[in-house]
Amino acid sequence: MSVPRGFDELIHPATRLSVVALLATTEWADFAFVRDSLSLSDSALSKQLHTLGEAGYLEIHKEGGGRKRRTRVRLTDAGRTAFEGHVAALRAIVERAGLPAPAGPAPTGPAADGASPADGPGPAHRPRHRHHAEAGR
């Protein structure tokens, strides 16, 4: 089986893919926001950020010192291009298997959780607000 062009082994592991996907939705994100959004420990996130940063996929900016140290991260142009290529490659794999590829973001709301509109509103969904990720910009 041939691997589609754009498939990125570095991004593919679930944790790194989750980090890159989250960062693709914002310009800059605070370390704590990424950690909490993905339910990772400080050390697990630091390791993934280091790996992605070494590959040139992330820019990491540290401010301050001691307990007031603040770390912010963002995808570089190379990281964004790699992520978009990887997503396209995953879609190509799904299409080759004969399954319809999703056209856009995953649906949310009652239909997404299996409820019918007649069942009333589905579970509360936490909206994404850029200001949480980009605080201090």
Side-chain angles (χ1 to χ4, degrees), residues 11 57 60 79 83 94 102 105 118 124 130 132:
I11 292 175
Y57 290 176
I60 301 171
F83 173 66
V94 170
R130 286 186 170 231
H132 290 291

Side-chain angles (χ1 to χ4, degrees), residues 26-93:
T26 188
E27 183 65 28
W28 284 93
D30 289 322
F31 181 94
F33 173 79
V34 177
R35 178 197 63 212
D36 296 346
S37 295
L38 301 178
S39 300
L40 295 172
S41 67
D42 286 356
S43 62
L45 179 56
S46 291
K47 179 180 178 183
Q48 301 308 324
L49 294 180
H50 176 77
T51 299
L52 291 164
E54 287 288 311
Y57 290 176
L58 295 183
E59 180 180 342
I60 301 171
H61 182 72
K62 298 182 181 200
E63 305 170 340
R67 295 188 58 75
K68 296 203 183 239
R69 183 170 204 151
R70 180 176 176 195
T71 301
R72 298 172 61 209
V73 296
R74 74 172 187 95
L75 279 181
T76 62
D77 290 341
R80 191 168 301 279
T81 298
F83 173 66
E84 290 168 357
H86 189 68
V87 169
L90 292 174
R91 285 190 174 134
I93 291 169

